Structure formats: structure tokens, C-alpha cells
Amino acid sequence: INRSFSTSHPSLQPASPIDPLKSFRTTPLFINGKFVESITNNWIPVHNPANNELVTLIPETTPQELNDAAETAAEAFKSWRKSSILTRQRILLDLQLLIRENTDKIAKSITEEQGKTLADAKGDVLRGRQVVEHACGITNLLLGEQLAVSNDMDTYTIREPLGVTAGICPFNFPAMIPLWMFPLSIAAGNTMIIKPSERDPGAMMILAQLAKEAGVPDGVLNVVHGSVETVNFLCDNEHIKAISFVGSDKAGKYIHKRGTLNGKRVQANLGAKNHGVIMPDANKNHTLNQLAGAAFGAAGQRCMALSTVVFVGEAEEWLPELVERAKKLKVSGGFEPDVDVGPLISREAKGRVERLIQSGVEQGAKLVLDGRNPSVPKEYKNGNFVGPTILSKVTTEMDCYKEEIFGPVLVCLNVDTLDEAIDLINKNPYGNGTAIFTNSGSNARYFTNNIEAGQIGVNVPIPVPLPMFSFTGNRASIQGDINFYGKSGLQFYTQTKTVTSLWRHEDVNHTKSAVNMPT
Ligand code: NAD
């Protein structure tokens, strides 16, 4: 059955424990340029995190449907790879415009399904759109190299697409992270199958519709849904040559192993624990504002959230003011005006964050701001809210330090010197991002030279690189070695062919073959 993705399916009999008499909007698949209703019997409910009301049901895509997606992507690759690069550029130019025009629509879907504030959701769309804008420069980005080796010999390189690629996405950036993947992949001439997070697929469905409107041919971009079985299919299917994954450590390590064992390229961005070092010479107001924003924005559900503060020396004295700033942040549903902190993605996530806060208290940390059970308007009493929380006197043995909390919880540690701060951060297994706040150029330089993290901010709390650079997390925050977007992203989605040609003008008039390695 072909359906528009906004229609409901009144005859649906969901397998999950949901009132079967009630009809819900379902989220379709997008295969071969059509929005199609899955014939599955297994449906996954998506709830609005602000009130836990059901938003949509998404299908566990059936094996036949997954196969259809892979076959259609493989078939589409045959012609898409031959398309003119100017055609692809034109489509991307139109796509970025459509995304810009539909920012509000995408952002509303994000706030409804993911929970983040509407203003933050618009930022999610913007940061993704910037990757599309960068991909519009594909005509320059794909330029190869050429060298006239001698009078009659040339060597040149061509960057060619790989074939069918797959993207497996997390819940926390429902627009930005799919946009890290498919625009660059298809710009390079690949086709793609995207699996958005089963918790918030709506933004990707709108993006698929916009891609279709922009002229992406049928089969070039496909969207499938589901959880582990869908992921297993993407790791195993013979047509799929490369997998882009962003998400948790557990899923990422599994996908990296399974995908690479099957001979595929896999780039996997995993979890994080990002430290901010506060030097006593920093600009106090700027630092405290940035800290509170980066720790509690998006309810701490960003891989680049600054979730750990390391106060150096007397910078510790700023803690009470930090607490005051955190208290001022308004916790509520993401559509409310002036809201700062929305809900967590699920009841399980809320329970986990609350348990980690409690573990900190039990292991000796000081709870200087307790955001558990925040007061929210009555229409959100069933939502998954935790307000800004600050634990001080935290040590590296505590669970609240060792685990990625992924909630609005800031853990604070104290050291005496910058060297101790660097040592502490380098001992943490993660290497996604870090920041230093200081007015000393030499301290900043010393820090950037000696810290082992992929993305470093100097007086910038969330240094996510713009798309002309790449997202360069390192150590336990990444599996695989080719980063997302920018030059690395293009490298990931292409393989290089190197052609050496000899066009000799004179006739060859001897008959003895040369058997030595040509030099
Ligand atoms: P997640 O791992 O639960 O889900 C990500 C994807 O993996 C989903 O599509 C899901 O269906 C699939 N998946 C989940 N469990 C699986 C399993 N056992 N086997 C196979 N597939 C599985 O991650 P999440 O909770 O959606 O996202 C939050 C995590 O993502 C955090 O750890 C965060 O740090 C990380 N993240 C990292 C970056 C980065 O660039 N480093 C960016 C965003 C998010």
C-alpha cells in the first residue's frame, strides 16, 4: 500500500501493549521514492517525552521490505553513479533551500518526538543544513589530483562512489545526524539507506520528502525503521559497502565489529564524557554562562555536552554562582515560551539519570543542586523531567564520573594545577571533546598541545566543527578511523582510483621486454 506519510492507518493492530481500538498515525517506510506502509506485525511506539502521550507507531521493517530497500538502492546506484556532478549539485542546492523553508516543520517534529526546546530543535536543523550547504560544493570537493610525470606520462586520481551506503542514527539529533550522512554520501554518487532512531523518526521522514521534492531520484535515498534486526540486516547485506553509525558505545562496538567482519567500511561515533577546565584567570561571567548552557542545554543529551567541570585552584569559588545560574533555567515542555530545559527521551533515561545522581550522593559527592522532581506545569506531570543538577567534590572513582550520564547533570572536580587537570582528562577513556576557559594564551596553547581529545574549545564550550572541517572525536569516542563530514566524510564515502597513462609519440622499434619494476 502506498501512503502519504501523514495519513493514519485505522486498521492497524499493533503488537505492543497499546489500546488496539484506537487508531494512531503510523510512520511509513520510504523505499524507491515512495512512502509505503509496512506490513509488519511489530510496531514500536514513539512517545512525546514531555507527557508520554503516543505520537506515532513505527514498524520493525520486515525482512522482505529490508531486502526491497537494498535491491532498490543497488539498482538506483547503477544510474546515479553516472549522473553528472552538476545534476547532483543542483539537487543539493534545492534540498538546502527546502530544508531552510521547512525548518519550523522539522523542528516541531523534533520537539514533539525528542523533547528538546523548539529553539534548540531549530539549531539541530541548522547544523544539519550546513552540511548540505557544504555538500553543494561537491564539484570542488571531488576534484582529484593530476601530475604530468614526464613528457608522455600522466597520473591522475578519480574519487568514485562505493555503492549502497547505510546510516544508523541516534535519538539526540534527529535532523543533524542523518544530515551528516546522506547528503554527502549521495553527493558523491552513492545511494543510501537510513535508519533513523526508533524513538524519533519524524524529522528524517520530512527530510526524505524534501529530498524527493528536490529531485533525488527514486531509490537513491531510502528510509527503513526498526531496532536490532534492522541493524543486523544493514551490517550483513551484500549490497551495502559502508555504514555510518552514531550512538552509544554498546551498539557502536557491535555494529563496527559485525560490519567490518563483513568487509564493510564502518565509521562509528560513540559516547563521551566532556570536561571543561576552568582556570582562575578566565572571564567569570562568560565562563559561567557558557558552562550552564553547555551542561544543561538539550537536557544534557548532547554527545558534546560539557558534563564535567574541572576547577583549577581558586576557580572553585565560582561554584555558588554557577548554581545560581543553573537554578534560573526554566524546565518545561519544549514548546513552552522561554523554556530552557526540556524532558529526557524516556522514562528509562530519567530513571537512569536519577540513579546516577543518587549514586554520586552515596559515594560521597555533594549535591549542591538537586534537579530531581522539578516543578513543571500540570500538563507535563507525566513527562520525563529532570532539572539542572550539580554534584561537587566528585572523584574519578565515582560512577557519576565514570559513566556518561546523558542528562542535565554537571559533575565538578577540583585540582590545583593545569597539569593535574590535563592528566585527569587524559586518563578518562573518552576523547570526544573538551574545553578550557582562560585568558592566558600560553595556558590555552599548553592545554591544546597536551590534551588527548579530538575537539577542543578555547573559551568555547561545545566546539562542534563546522562542516568544512570534520567531527574529530578520538579514543573511546570513535570506532573506525575516518571521521564524519568535511574532507574525511568525503573520503569515507569514496574510493580513489589512480590512473597512470603513457602516450608515446615515437614508434617502439625494439622487441626486448623489460622485466624489472618500472621506475
Ligand atoms: P543507541 O546506541 O541506543 O541507538 C543508536 C542506534 O543504534 C539506533 O538507531 C538504535 O536502533 C541502534 N541500536 C541500539 N541498540 C542496539 C543494539 N543493541 N544492537 C544494534 N543496534 C542498536 O544510542 P542513542 O541512545 O540513540 O544515542 C545516545 C548516544 O549516542 C550517547 O552515548 C551519545 O554520546 C552518542 N552520540 C555520539 C555522538 C558522537 O558524534 N560521538 C553524537 C550523538 C550521539
Side-chain angles (χ1 to χ4, degrees), residues 365-413:
K366 199 168 158 209
L367 188 57
V368 289
L369 181 62
D370 187 356
R372 290 173 293 182
N373 305 311
S375 108
V376 290
K378 64 176 181 324
E379 59 268 39
Y380 302 122
K381 68 180 185 331
N382 284 331
N384 315 319
F385 292 94
V386 175
T389 298
I390 302 181
L391 286 158
S392 73
K393 305 286 176 205
V394 170
T395 62
T396 53
E397 299 79 39
M398 295 178 188
D399 291 336
C400 64
Y401 175 78
K402 288 191 284 191
E403 287 195 36
E404 180 184 32
I405 302 179
F406 225 53
V409 182
L410 183 64
V411 301
C412 305
L413 294 87

Side-chain angles (χ1 to χ4, degrees), residues 169-172 195 198 231 245-248 251 269-270 303 404 471:
C169 306
F171 80 83
N172 65 332
K195 190 197 92 60
E198 63 272 41
V231 167
F245 168 85
V246 179
S248 65
N269 274 9
L270 316 181
C303 66
E404 180 184 32
F471 191 95

